Structure formats: structure tokens, C-alpha cells
Amino acid sequence: MLHRLWLVFAQTATICVAALFVVSTLKPEWLPQRATPPQPVPAAPAQGALAPAPAAPRAGSFHDAVQRSSPAVVNIFTSKEVRAPRNPLLNDPLFRRFFGEQFGDETQRATSLGSGVIVSPSGYILTNHHVVETADEIEVALSDGKRMLAKVVGNDPETDLAVLRVNAEKLPAISFGQSDALRVGDVVLAIGNPFGVGQTVTSGIVSALGRSGLHINTFENFIQTDAAINPGNSGGALVDARGDLVGINTAIYSRSGGSMGIGFAIPVSTAKMVMEQIIRSGTVTRGWIGVEVQEITPAIAESFKLPDARGAIIAGVLPGGPADKAGVKLGDVLTAINGAPVADPQAMLNLVAALQPGAAAKIKLRRQTQSLELQVTVGRRPKPPARE
């Protein structure tokens, strides 16, 4: 009996499964539909809601450094009044009688442009001396387009630096970096106003450090970079990958007038020292001992029987000057100042300039085969004559 019941149940179940398969295949609409759970839909942000968090910095991008430093870089527009040469015919009284003075001197305004860096929220701006050297009027354009007149606080032709000031407060000042920590190969960005097209950022690397002997300035210790620097970039910022100021763009080596991948910037360590003195006293004070020096070439070293070419040979001594009073003579070789070795004339110039006028300094000399140590009272370096 149980066996017959099991057979009936198995046959019934098989028939039902077969029927379900046939119906689901041929007539699926006859079967009851299962409810589909609702899918979530992203809601639009409410008016005034907080914006999404900013994306993470992109690899290889210096956008953050530019955003941090570019508001402190300004465009500088200068103008001056120039007079055209007097017509030589006006020297003839007969010509003046008939034609008057209309062919006389003509007054025109010449304009030029450059860049600058805001170094203080209270309106101090650092730029190149040659940008504002002969200007009658100086106008500064901020990154937001606002324009203001500026005046010269002071300048230093021997480093080609000048400090301006505008009548404004709470300006976006740049942060100072460490130019002494720069290494060849470090990434740098040049920000300025080349050719007057507007604020422009170029990138490159530090190509060399301590460049001198270029005869651009009296005191040279340039950062060389291949970041594109063009006319109008002078006085602009050279910043590191964090956006900190490491130099003031000053000059380029070029045969065409445009960038050829060799640009020079004044280190921020020099710029900061000059800026602080100008803001404090309106001028820059440097030490001076009244000598003219010459580089020691291998030929000179052999002629003077020197062991090497290090040092600076005294080629001139100002009569009555500090060095003359101390006993320095022509042909002496200056080897050290206050214990610091003198490698070449440029190093000697920098060491002497750093001395405090009125202070006593010890200088080491080599005179023929003798080594001497003299004490000199440091004088104040005279101002260079103004260029016409």
C-alpha cells in the first residue's frame, strides 16, 4: 500500500514540474510576477549645500604651488617723459622767423613693463632696479585686475633690486623659501608678465647655482634655470614646487631677445637682505676697503710663483683708503678675510661687502714668499654713479 502511494506522489510531482517548465517557457505571463525592490536614485544637492570635497592633487601637477604664489605676483607698468632732439634748422634765425618753433623739441611718453612680487601685506613690492630705474610714473596691476600707483622706497643698482610701495593693506604676500637649500635639478616655476600678455607660469629646473662673472651686476650669485624667462618677466617670482619664493627673475642669455633656456634669478637670500635694509633705512650699506682686484690666472700664478690660483691679486689701492692705511700694496694676494678663504675676486667682493663699516677686519695676504696678516678699518662702499 505504501509503495503504491509513493509511486502516485512521485508521478504527480514529476507531472507538475514538467507542466511548470512548459508554462514558464511558453507562457511566462501566466505565472505570478515577483515584486522588484526600488532602486536608489542619487538626490540632487540642495540649494546652498556644501560642495563636494576637492579632488586629490594630481601627480606631476604644480597647480597648488601656482595657486599659492601667483596672487602675490604683480605686473608693473612704467612711463617716462622723453624729448625728441631739437631740429638743427632752428639754429638759423631766418628759418625760425618764417616757420616759428613748431619744429622744436617734441615731448613724448615712453612706456615699458615688468613684474614684481608682493613681499608684505602692507604694500611692499620687490622688483628689479632696471624695471623702474628711469620711470616718472609707476603703475602696479594686481592679479585680480586692480591697478594702483606705486612709489620707489629705495633701490640697489649693484644687485639690480628695488623696493616699491602701494597704498594698500591686506595684500596677498608671498612666502619666502630657502634659496640656500636649492639643488641642481630641483623643479622651479617662473611667474611674470612676459611681453605684456598677462600673468604667465613656466616651469623648469635649477640648471646651476652660484653663477658669477656674467658682468650683469656688481654682486653676482645667480640661480640659473631653464624655466622660460622673457622680456617682461624681469622682477617676477621664481618659486619652488611648494610655491615659496626662491629668487627674483632678472636676466636671460639670448641671441634673439627671447628665451633660449638660460635664465638667471637673484637668490631670495640676497633679495631679502637688500629688501630689509631698504625698508629700514631707504638704502643699502656695504663694507669697502678701497682696492681693485684681479683674477689669478694660471699664467699669473706661474709668474708670481704662487702655489695655486686661489685668491685675488691686488691690482690697485686707493690712496688714503682703508687698505692703503693698513699697508696693503700692489701685487699682494688676498687669501682670507676674517678667517673666510677668498677663492676669487667675486668671493672677495662679497666678503668685504658683508663687513660692517667702521669695524676692524683681519685680512691675510701673500706678499712674494711671505704670509702677512693685517688689520683694516672697514669703510662704507660708495654709491655707484647713476647711469645716463
Side-chain angles (χ1 to χ4, degrees), residues 86-96 103:
R86 179 182 174 89
N87 193 313
L89 292 176
L90 285 176
N91 295 328
D92 186 347
L94 184 63
F95 185 90
R96 291 201 306 271
F103 294 98

Side-chain angles (χ1 to χ4, degrees), residues 156-378:
D156 181 35
E158 295 191 295
T159 55
D160 194 20
L161 289 168
V163 177
L164 312 179
R165 191 172 189 184
V166 295
N167 187 20
E169 297 289 340
K170 298 181 180 179
L171 295 180
I174 203 163
S175 59
F176 288 88
Q178 298 290 330
S179 56
D180 296 338
L182 282 178
R183 302 165 300 175
V184 174
D186 284 352
V187 172
V188 286
L189 310 172
I191 309 176
N193 180 25
F195 300 108
V197 300
Q199 190 175 94
T200 303
V201 182
T202 56
S203 67
I205 62 170
V206 174
S207 305
L209 294 167
R211 285 290 193 223
S212 61
L214 304 176
H215 307 293
I216 298 173
N217 300 336
T218 303
F219 298 96
E220 297 182 340
N221 181 27
F222 290 115
I223 302 167
Q224 181 181 327
T225 176
D226 65 347
I229 298 174
N230 289 290
N233 270 105
S234 292
L238 187 73
V239 303
D240 59 20
R242 294 181 299 274
D244 295 332
L245 183 71
V246 294
I248 299 294
N249 300 321
T250 297
I252 60 173
Y253 174 82
S254 176
R255 295 179 178 176
S256 62
S259 175
M260 295 182 64
I262 301 179
F264 303 100
I266 301 168
V268 72
S269 56
T270 300
K272 189 176 181 182
M273 181 271 294
V274 170
M275 175 196 73
E276 289 174 348
Q277 287 200 46
I278 289 177
I279 292 175
R280 184 170 59 249
S281 62
T283 187
V284 178
T285 301
R286 294 187 174 91
W288 173 76
I289 60 174
V291 297
E292 181 181 347
V293 293
Q294 180 181 343
E295 183 181 3
I296 302 177
T297 63
I300 292 177
E302 183 179 358
S303 174
F304 280 73
K305 298 180 180 180
L306 301 175
D308 52 50
R310 295 180 63 82
I313 190 167
I314 304 297
V317 180
L318 180 70
D324 183 40
K325 293 178 179 179
V328 178
K329 300 184 180 299
L330 287 176
D332 289 348
V333 177
L334 187 58
T335 59
I337 298 175
N338 279 347
V342 173
D344 51 39
Q346 186 65 48
M348 172 265 176
L349 195 62
N350 292 333
L351 288 171
V352 171
L355 299 174
Q356 185 67 28
K362 293 182 179 180
I363 58 174
K364 286 187 177 181
L365 302 169
R366 185 184 297 119
R367 183 176 295 170
Q368 296 179 353
T369 58
Q370 296 180 340
S371 294
L372 303 175
E373 183 173 283
L374 303 177
Q375 182 167 295
V376 58
T377 300
V378 181

Side-chain angles (χ1 to χ4, degrees), residues 11-79:
Q11 291 173 353
T12 303
T14 302
I15 293 172
C16 290
V17 171
L20 180 62
F21 174 77
V22 172
V23 172
S24 62
T25 303
L26 301 179
K27 294 291 184 177
E29 63 272 15
W30 291 359
L31 298 175
Q33 300 295 323
R34 294 168 54 185
T36 303
Q39 299 295 323
V41 178
Q47 187 70 22
L50 294 176
R58 298 179 183 177
S61 173
F62 300 101
H63 174 77
D64 291 342
V66 173
Q67 289 292 98
R68 185 167 178 247
S69 56
S70 60
V73 181
V74 301
N75 300 338
I76 297 178
F77 303 91
T78 64
S79 62

